[in-house]
């Protein structure tokens, strides 16, 4: 069994624009590995391509180029071409539970679908299984015949998590599962996710824009900017020793609620500038337009990922001197 | 939140109550519903309700021809001495047969074709189906009915067939555009990603979300189909004499206007009443099923 | 207090819907001094926006102001009203508002220049006739103030040609051009990325301070409130549950809701995430008779069920609406 449950090699996903030969370079040469039983946080701002990675891994798009290996098996194609066991082992929770649950189907119908499709329950056993799923996310069986509109946002997202859990997936992709929710509700969802992940040993790819959330949740964090990964590091190392200027800019922009947190924010760099369009990605280092530390080489040459310490890599010329 | 219940029946009943509450907020919709129910009752129990049931067929009584509205003939009598009220009551049967029959043929066909085309939109299947649909839409229904009747016998069944042929594409169009957006919704994607079959996705995930506008269009369409049926019988292509048809009655009475106005005006008013009631009901259904939370 | 600029007292606002009235605001009190920066913090559906819209006099038609007072610069903004229709707000002069969604706040079919000039003409031109050139100069000036690069070009742009952050800056420029005493910012950065949010927040703070305006910031983010303001109002289900100077609130929160909220916020120090607050916001058709937080409160006392707590002083300008601190 390979050590990495998911391996993304040189993944590119370009979308055509209305003009000829111009593309939205949503994901541009991404390498990423997800270890078994790990929660990997992929953090980025809007337009960074983090959701595109999630959707490409799920098979909602086929990659423009590059390879996606799941358990050593090549799955660089759309869902319809993937074998059923892969669909069973790979599940996703979407951002907005308001649109990811069919408004015309009740909770029982929503949750029994994956069980039926993958023949995980006898017909007379299905209801009991669904109730077990609801209990797993701490919802009572009263919810069986309710429709999504009768549920609050948090409850809906718990149902969406239960649906993803139904097939007992090995890899769960979470696409901003709490960004549409209030913090008091987010806390509940995140705790449920952490509990389920440690109980069942799933691997999770957690897509988010919230760095503070990742500090408390992920084992490793990857930062994306304009379709590329800028820095990857184990969580603690990442927050104690952020290296990439973009990471530092992100960290310094986070509004925090205590003095202890403030001391962790790098004050060297303050945010400025806008995110360029993913159609016209700046040459050289794509961050140089907003970087206060840019050198001449940053305007012309794209930096490669450089290993700094164990598992910590960063794509920045500042660290390229030997 | 209201007390939650485990029972499926209770949940359904609650849904029905809520729908009725929304529907009953509109007085106009209630008027439409009552009118439609009245029409249906008249059609079913015509022989019991009509004062002169025998007047609905080839009956002649020249003694009482062209009697103005009176106590004996509430809406007057026609040139053959037949009671117009009785003939109108019997004519609702043909009108409803027309409306319901056409929709029963048109809706399943149009919806299924639309589902398939929408689900495959972007591929060749979708494009071909929709171009064929466009061709059918380009044929005016009245002309098509004339052509059909010229080849086949002019009767109610052939009139229904002619109307159906030109009517189904509207449903295909409606469903197609809805499916195109619903299939990109995250809930449909979720079902697809977990490996659900095409038929499950089309009929269980997508179709239920298309139903509200389909139902609305159906109730509105019955009125229009009845109107079209009346136009066909007006030009002699519907139900053939002596069976009464509203359109035929208006056509026959037109030559006695304005002296013997009742012969044409009352069947005309009947058409208006039926179509109006179905339209009001349709508006009510639309408001009930609209997703706007009030 | 002599320099009180805004005083909202006992404000009750409901919305007429089918099946009754949603009793949203339940006795809101809010006092602002001139030059003060306050935040109103609360979660979705707690009535923060309703409060601000009442002050601006832009509530939708179904809304009913049942009771209360709104005083702005010593002038009562509410007209006496009938039982059924409620009171109406006189639109205050000198208050501008920045909305959450800059896409919806700008008209897509007019250029930024046209929209900005209109605002300037209607707010400043009432007393004297302004020439085209002076309106244009004023527009360029406020765009410059909002740190927008190349203001001449932006005047000719349509809103869709600008990025989210730029659009929000244009909205801020519009709000500033009416140069008031009070700026109400309703979740001004919720749809923006964190690096853009940082820039927009700094801009708002600098401008407010430079122009000596007061700021009422509506937000769901405690972090944003902490960074921006002197005093914070915590709102829950149409009631103010806690008022405190910013420092004091984060050092020692009192109300069980505030504590739960603070505990739910993920922190950079990585100490894990609190359990959140169980349950959800009450049904406004039949809200709890006593404290509105009672059904979700883990420290509830028997009297919380039927009695509404007032704001009790706990020292240091810190007041809490909870019977635990009577």
């Amino acid at each position: 069994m390979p050590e990495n449950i998911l391996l993304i090699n040189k993944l590119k996903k370009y979308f055509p624009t209305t003009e000829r030969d111009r593309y939205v370079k949503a994901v541009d040469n991404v390498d990423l590995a997800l270890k078994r039983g790990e929660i990997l946080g992929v953090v980025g701002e809007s337009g960074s391509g983090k959701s595109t990675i999630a959707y490409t891994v799920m098979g909602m798009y086929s990659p423009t180029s590059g390879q996606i290996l799941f358990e050593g098996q090549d799955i660089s194609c759309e869902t319809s071409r993937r074998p059923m066991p892969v669909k069973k082992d790979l599940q996703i929770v979407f951002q907005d539970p308001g649109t990811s649950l069919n408004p015309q189907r009740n909770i029982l119908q929503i949750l029994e679908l994956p069980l039926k499709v993958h023949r995980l329950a006898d017909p007379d056993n299905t209801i009991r299984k669904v109730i077990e799923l609801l209990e797993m996310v701490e919802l009572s069986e009263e919810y069986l015949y309710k429709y999504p509109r009768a549920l609050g946002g948090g409850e809906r997202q718990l149902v969406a998590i239960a649906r993803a859990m139904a097939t007992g997936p090995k890899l769960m992709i979470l696409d901003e599962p709490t960004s549409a929710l209030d913090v008091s509700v987010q806390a509940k969802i995140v705790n449920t996710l952490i509990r389920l992940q440690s109980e069942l040993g799933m691997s999770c790819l957690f897509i988010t824009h919230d760095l503070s959330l990742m500090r408390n949740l992920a084992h490793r964090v990857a930062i994306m900017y304009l379709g590329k990964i800028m820095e990857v590091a184990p969580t603690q190392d990442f927050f104690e020793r952020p290296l990439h200027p973009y990471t530092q800019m992100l960290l310094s922009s986070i509004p925090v609620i205590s003095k202890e947190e403030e001391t962790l924010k790098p004050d060297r760099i303050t945010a400025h500038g806008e995110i360029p369009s993913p159609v016209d990605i700046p040459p050289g280092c794509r961050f140089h337009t907003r970087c206060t530390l840019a050198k001449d080489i940053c305007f012309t040459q794209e930096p490669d990922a450089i290993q700094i310490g164990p598992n910590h890599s960063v794509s920045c010329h500042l660290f390229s001197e030997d | 939140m209201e007390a939650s219940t485990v029972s499926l029946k209770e949940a359904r009943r609650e849904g029905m109550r809520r729908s009725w509450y929304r529907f009953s907020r509109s007085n106009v919709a209630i008027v439409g519903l009552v009118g439609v129910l009245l029409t249906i009752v008249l059609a079913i129990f015509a022989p019991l309700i009509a004062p002169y049931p025998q007047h609905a067929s080839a009956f002649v009584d020249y003694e009482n021809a062209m009697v103005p509205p009176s106590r004996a003939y509430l809406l007057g009598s026609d040139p053959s001495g037949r009671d117009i009220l009785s003939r109108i009551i019997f004519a609702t049967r043909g009108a409803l047969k027309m409306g319901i029959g056409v929709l029963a043929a048109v809706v399943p066909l149009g919806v299924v074709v639309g589902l398939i085309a929408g689900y495959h939109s972007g591929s060749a299947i979708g494009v071909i189906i929709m171009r064929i649909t466009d061709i059918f839409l380009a044929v005016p229904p009245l002309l098509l009915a004339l052509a059909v009747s010229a080849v086949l016998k002019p009767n109610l069944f052939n009139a229904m067939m002619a109307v159906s042929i030109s009517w189904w594409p509207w449903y295909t169009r409606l469903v197609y555009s809805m499916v195109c957006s619903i299939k990109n919704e995250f809930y449909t994607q979720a079902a697809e990603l977990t490996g659900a079959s095409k038929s499950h996705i089309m009929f269980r995930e997508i179709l239920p979300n298309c139903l509200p506008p389909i139902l609305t269009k159906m109730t509105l369409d019955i009125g229009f189909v009845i109107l079209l049926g009346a136009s066909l019988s007006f030009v002699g292509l519907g139900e053939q004499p002596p069976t009464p048809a509203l359109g035929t009655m208006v056509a026959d009475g037109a030559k006695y206007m304005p002296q013997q106005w009742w012969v044409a005006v009352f069947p005309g008013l009947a058409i208006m009443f039926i179509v109006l009631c179905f339209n009001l009901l349709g508006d009510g259904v639309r408001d009930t099923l609209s997703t706007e939370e009030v | 207090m002599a320099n009180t600029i805004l005083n909202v007292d006992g404000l009750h606002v409901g919305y007429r819907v089918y099946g009754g009235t949603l009793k949203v605001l339940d006795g809101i009190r809010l006092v602002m001094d001139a030059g003060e920066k306050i935040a109103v913090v609360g979660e979705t559906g707690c009535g923060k926006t309703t409060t601000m819209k009442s002050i601006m006099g832009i509530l939708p038609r179904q809304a009913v102001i049942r009771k209360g007072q709104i005083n702005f610069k010593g002038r009562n903004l509410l007209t006496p009203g009938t039982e059924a229709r409620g009171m109406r707000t006189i639109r205050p002069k000198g208050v501008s508002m920045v909305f959450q969604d800059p896409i919806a706040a700008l008209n897509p079919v007019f250029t930024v220049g046209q929209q900005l000039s209109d605002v300037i003409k209607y707010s400043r031109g009432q007393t004297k006739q302004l020439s085209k050139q002076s309106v244009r100069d004023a527009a360029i000036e406020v765009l410059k103030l909002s740190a927008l690069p190349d203001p001449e070009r932006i005047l000719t742009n349509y809103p869709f040609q600008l990025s989210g952050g730029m659009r929000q800056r244009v909205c801020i420029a519009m709000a500033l051009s009416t140069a008031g005493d009070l700026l109400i910012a309703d979740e001004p950065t919720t749809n923006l990325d964190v690096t853009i949010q940082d820039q927009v927040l700094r801009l708002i703070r600098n401008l407010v301070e430079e122009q000596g305006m007061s700021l009422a910031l509506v937000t769901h983010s405690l972090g944003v409130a902490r960074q921006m303001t002197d005093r914070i109002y915590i709102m829950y289900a149409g009631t103010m549950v806690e008022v405190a100077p910013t420092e004091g609130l984060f050092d020692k929160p009192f109300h069980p809701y505030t504590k739960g909220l603070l505990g739910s916020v993920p922190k950079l120090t990585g100490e894990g995430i609190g359990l959140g607050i169980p349950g959800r916001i009450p049904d406004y058709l039949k809200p709890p008779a006593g404290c509105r937080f009672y059904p979700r409160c883990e420290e509830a006392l028997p009297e919380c069920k039927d009695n509404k707590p007032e704001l009790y002083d706990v020292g240091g300008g810190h007041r809490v609406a909870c019977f635990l601190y009577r």
Side-chain angles (χ1 to χ4, degrees):
Chain A
M1 220 162 27
E3 180 206 6
N4 292 320
I5 189 158
L6 181 73
L7 195 64
I8 298 174
N9 274 331
K10 305 238 168 308
L11 181 70
K12 279 187 189 173
K13 180 64 197 170
Y14 293 178
F15 296 98
T17 60
T18 45
E19 288 166 66
R20 252 185 115 178
D21 296 326
R22 272 161 61 85
Y23 295 93
V24 176
K25 295 172 181 161
V27 177
D28 202 10
N29 243 341
V30 162
D31 293 304
L32 201 61
L34 179 63
K35 297 194 189 78
R36 205 169 290 282
E38 180 185 50
I39 303 180
L40 172 66
V42 177
V43 183
E45 297 183 275
S46 50
S48 65
K50 53 192 193 302
S51 288
T52 309
I53 290 192
Y55 295 164
T56 315
V57 171
M58 282 311 294
M60 287 158 74
Y61 312 129
S62 59
T64 306
S65 71
Q67 211 182 19
I68 304 169
L69 296 175
F70 175 66
E71 297 267 43
Q73 188 182 354
D74 191 344
I75 54 163
S76 326
C77 56
E78 283 189 49
T79 340
S80 49
R81 303 235 200 109
R82 292 183 181 179
M84 282 306 259
V86 171
K87 293 182 193 172
K88 175 179 168 296
D89 288 338
L90 203 54
Q91 288 287 339
I92 186 166
V93 176
F94 290 107
Q95 172 175 1
D96 182 1
T99 58
S100 72
L101 303 179
N102 193 332
Q104 298 290 340
R105 294 174 73 70
N106 64 32
I107 305 306
L108 173 63
Q109 289 171 320
I110 288 169
L111 290 181
E112 73 183 359
L113 175 68
L115 298 175
K116 282 183 173 169
V117 168
H118 295 283
R119 301 207 171 78
L120 297 168
D122 305 328
D124 26 314
N125 224 348
T126 318
I127 290 210
R128 211 176 46 86
K129 274 264 189 188
V130 169
I131 293 174
E132 279 174 24
L133 283 172
L134 282 174
E135 279 165 0
M136 212 178 208
V137 294
E138 292 166 32
L139 291 175
S140 70
E141 59 178 289
E142 282 173 13
Y143 286 86
L144 277 181
Y145 298 106
K146 287 193 178 179
Y147 284 84
R149 62 174 173 272
L151 273 57
E155 294 163 322
R156 281 185 207 159
Q157 197 58 293
L158 287 172
V159 170
I161 291 170
R163 172 175 65 188
M165 296 298 304
T167 57
K170 290 181 182 158
L171 171 60
M172 175 109 102
I173 294 177
L174 300 145
D175 180 28
E176 306 228 31
T178 58
S179 63
L181 307 172
D182 280 316
V183 280
S184 66
V185 179
Q186 164 175 288
K188 160 97 181 138
I189 305 277
V190 167
N191 282 311
T192 307
L193 279 172
I194 293 175
R195 177 171 57 78
L196 290 173
Q197 193 272 336
S198 64
E199 276 173 19
L200 304 167
M202 281 185 303
S203 315
C204 292
L205 189 66
F206 202 115
I207 313 286
T208 181
H209 63 267
D210 188 345
L211 269 173
S212 324
L213 183 62
M214 282 306 102
R215 176 68 186 92
N216 297 285
L217 180 68
H219 301 130
R220 247 168 5 116
V221 180
I223 291 279
M224 273 191 92
Y225 184 75
L226 275 183
K228 231 186 148 190
I229 291 189
M230 303 312 246
E231 185 165 4
V232 191
T235 305
Q236 193 160 358
D237 197 19
F238 183 93
F239 284 90
E240 280 168 8
R241 202 162 59 104
L243 295 177
H244 200 285
Y246 177 59
T247 313
Q248 299 191 8
M249 187 202 257
L250 267 184
L251 277 169
S252 72
S253 310
I254 299 175
V256 295
I257 62 164
S258 69
K259 292 193 188 77
E260 297 83 63
E261 283 184 277
E262 232 150 57
T263 56
L264 287 171
K265 289 187 8 176
D267 41 27
R268 210 148 54 98
I269 293 176
T270 44
H272 68 101
E274 303 255 347
I275 304 161
S277 148
V279 179
D280 298 304
I281 289 180
C285 173
R286 52 197 68 206
F287 183 61
H288 81 253
T289 53
R290 300 173 75 191
C291 185
T292 45
L293 308 171
K295 305 186 291 185
D296 289 345
I297 187 171
C298 303
F299 289 82
T300 52
Q301 199 182 326
E302 179 127 46
D304 292 321
I306 299 153
Q307 280 294 327
I308 312 263
N311 298 322
H312 196 150
S313 77
V314 57
S315 298
C316 179
H317 287 303
L318 290 177
F319 303 94
S320 62
E321 295 102 340
D322 298 312
Chain B
M1 277 286 92
E2 66 277 325
S4 47
T5 44
V6 182
S7 148
L8 175 60
K9 266 191 201 154
E10 188 55 38
R12 284 216 178 117
R13 219 175 292 146
E14 174 59 31
M16 302 275 274
R17 267 201 295 269
R18 190 166 300 184
S19 303
W20 173 248
Y21 174 75
R22 294 180 73 143
F23 183 82
S24 61
R25 281 191 338 237
S26 157
N27 296 328
V28 178
I30 297 286
V31 170
L33 180 67
V34 170
V36 166
L37 288 177
L38 181 75
T39 311
I40 294 173
V41 168
L42 284 180
I44 294 175
F45 300 106
L48 302 175
I49 296 170
Y52 306 99
Q54 69 278 22
H55 289 195
S57 53
F59 176 88
V60 181
D61 175 13
Y62 289 118
E63 303 251 310
N64 290 313
M66 291 300 192
V67 179
S70 62
R71 191 160 293 225
Y73 300 101
L74 281 177
L75 303 181
S77 69
D78 70 0
S80 313
R82 295 176 296 195
D83 177 33
I84 290 180
L85 175 64
S86 303
R87 289 184 63 78
I88 287 177
I89 290 173
F90 273 91
T92 54
R93 292 183 151 186
L96 285 183
K97 257 191 231 164
M98 179 85 193
I100 293 167
V102 166
L103 287 183
V106 153
V107 174
L109 175 72
V111 168
V112 170
V113 173
L115 264 178
I116 295 172
Y119 188 75
H120 296 97
S121 69
S123 74
I125 304 176
V127 173
I128 293 170
I129 293 179
M130 288 320 289
R131 289 303 82 81
I132 294 174
T133 311
D134 288 343
I135 293 170
F136 274 93
L137 272 178
V139 181
L142 209 57
L143 288 187
L144 186 70
L146 282 169
V148 168
S149 315
V151 180
L152 305 166
K153 257 191 5 216
N155 59 24
L156 185 65
F157 180 81
N158 286 339
M160 280 164 62
M161 211 169 70
V163 175
S164 303
I165 288 172
S166 53
W167 212 278
W168 65 267
W170 293 112
Y171 285 87
T172 305
R173 274 247 184 128
L174 173 75
V175 173
Y176 175 81
S177 62
M178 295 202 62
V179 175
C180 283
S181 70
I182 294 174
K183 86 172 174 175
N184 291 322
E185 289 282 344
F186 282 117
Y187 55 80
T188 319
Q189 299 275 342
E192 207 147 303
L193 291 177
T194 206
S197 64
K198 267 189 191 179
S199 69
H200 172 92
I201 289 169
M202 278 197 270
F203 291 99
R204 304 262 163 199
E205 302 282 344
I206 297 178
L207 182 58
N209 286 288
C210 303
L211 283 182
I214 294 176
L215 275 175
T216 308
K217 187 169 167 56
M218 274 170 69
T219 31
L220 287 170
D221 270 6
I222 292 189
F224 292 122
V225 171
I226 291 174
L227 200 59
L228 189 57
S231 321
L232 286 176
S233 59
F234 183 85
V235 294
L237 297 175
E239 198 94 84
Q240 291 304 300
T243 316
L246 294 170
T248 325
M249 289 168 75
V250 176
D252 290 348
K255 45 185 180 278
Y256 302 107
M257 288 289 272
Q259 282 78 23
Q260 285 90 19
W261 53 270
W262 58 89
V263 186
V265 166
F266 287 116
L269 285 177
I271 295 173
M272 199 186 93
F273 173 79
I274 296 173
V275 174
L276 180 68
C277 287
F278 271 108
N279 283 351
L280 295 180
L281 177 69
D283 282 345
V285 169
R286 183 189 54 213
D287 294 344
T288 310
L289 297 177
S290 80
T291 43
E292 262 170 69
E293 239 3 278
V294 183
Chain C
M1 261 181 285
N3 57 349
T4 298
I5 185 165
L6 177 72
N7 187 353
V8 179
D9 197 12
L11 187 67
H12 287 72
V13 177
Y15 289 97
R16 270 191 307 256
V17 290
Y18 287 99
T21 305
L22 298 175
K23 301 176 191 75
V24 179
L25 297 189
D26 186 40
I28 290 295
R29 290 195 58 185
L30 193 138
V31 182
M32 272 184 86
D33 291 344
E36 197 183 21
K37 299 192 285 288
I38 65 148
V40 177
V41 180
E43 294 186 287
T44 313
C46 73
K48 0 181 240 297
T49 301
T50 300
T51 309
M52 293 307 154
K53 285 188 171 170
S54 316
I55 297 169
M56 286 297 284
I58 49 170
L59 283 171
R61 254 201 344 211
Q62 321 84 286
V64 191
I65 305 178
R66 289 183 294 134
K67 274 192 278 186
Q69 275 195 330
I70 301 176
N71 266 294
F72 181 67
K73 295 207 285 183
R75 183 163 170 236
N76 187 11
L77 296 183
L78 291 179
T79 57
T82 56
E83 181 66 31
R85 298 199 47 208
M87 298 185 274
R88 311 202 37 198
T89 321
I90 303 163
R91 216 152 283 174
K93 272 214 149 132
V95 186
S96 355
M97 190 155 173
V98 177
F99 293 92
Q100 172 175 351
D101 186 356
I103 301 170
L106 293 171
N107 191 332
V109 299
F110 293 104
T111 62
V112 169
Q114 285 166 314
Q115 300 186 54
L116 200 49
S117 315
D118 282 349
V119 173
I120 291 168
K121 263 188 273 180
Y122 291 124
S123 61
R124 298 184 190 173
Q126 280 170 340
T127 44
K128 54 181 190 287
Q129 201 65 37
L130 292 171
S131 71
K132 253 190 178 161
Q133 190 55 42
S134 66
V135 170
R136 194 182 138 84
D137 289 346
I140 289 176
E141 187 191 330
V142 289
L143 286 179
K144 270 189 190 149
L145 269 179
S146 301
L148 280 157
D150 201 358
E152 283 86 357
R153 186 180 55 85
I154 285 176
L155 281 181
T156 64
N157 280 159
Y158 287 91
F160 67 86
Q161 293 171 305
L162 305 174
S163 71
M166 303 240 276
R167 266 183 234 139
Q168 195 58 292
R169 280 169 214 253
V170 168
C171 290
I172 292 168
M174 272 189 187
L176 286 173
S177 65
T178 59
D181 310 283
L182 170 63
L183 178 69
I184 297 178
D186 184 4
E187 305 256 17
T189 57
T190 302
N191 292 333
L192 304 178
D193 280 313
V194 60
T195 55
I196 311 296
Q197 159 170 296
D198 194 44
Q199 300 173 54
V200 170
L201 288 179
R202 270 187 278 144
L203 171 72
I204 292 180
R205 198 177 44 200
N206 292 345
L207 289 173
V208 164
E209 279 170 4
E210 272 168 29
Q211 317 229 334
M213 292 165 94
S214 314
L215 170 71
L217 177 75
V218 173
T219 178
H220 66 271
S221 162
L222 283 160
V224 168
R226 179 172 178 273
Q227 185 184 332
M228 293 287 288
T229 58
D230 314 321
R231 218 149 51 86
I232 295 181
Y233 284 82
I234 303 278
M235 219 174 150
Y236 175 76
T239 54
M240 289 294 179
V241 294
E242 190 160 356
V243 191
T246 305
E247 282 294 300
L249 185 85
F250 289 97
D251 284 346
K252 196 167 189 323
F254 283 92
H255 198 282
Y257 175 68
T258 316
K259 286 190 219 162
L261 205 55
L262 278 168
S264 306
V265 178
K267 292 169 196 70
L268 276 181
T269 41
E271 57 217 42
I273 293 169
L275 293 173
I277 305 169
R280 57 164 129 144
I281 216 157
D283 181 0
Y284 283 122
L285 276 177
K286 347 181 233 308
C291 173
R292 286 197 165 178
F293 189 56
Y294 168 75
R296 298 171 77 180
C297 187
E298 281 168 359
E299 302 174 56
L301 303 170
E303 59 258 53
C304 301
K305 188 161 188 278
D306 297 309
N307 301 302
K308 288 182 197 297
E310 289 169 38
L311 281 166
Y312 301 109
D313 207 321
V314 292
H318 199 145
R319 291 186 297 153
V320 187
C322 180
F323 286 118
L324 289 170
Y325 307 103
R326 200 168 8 172

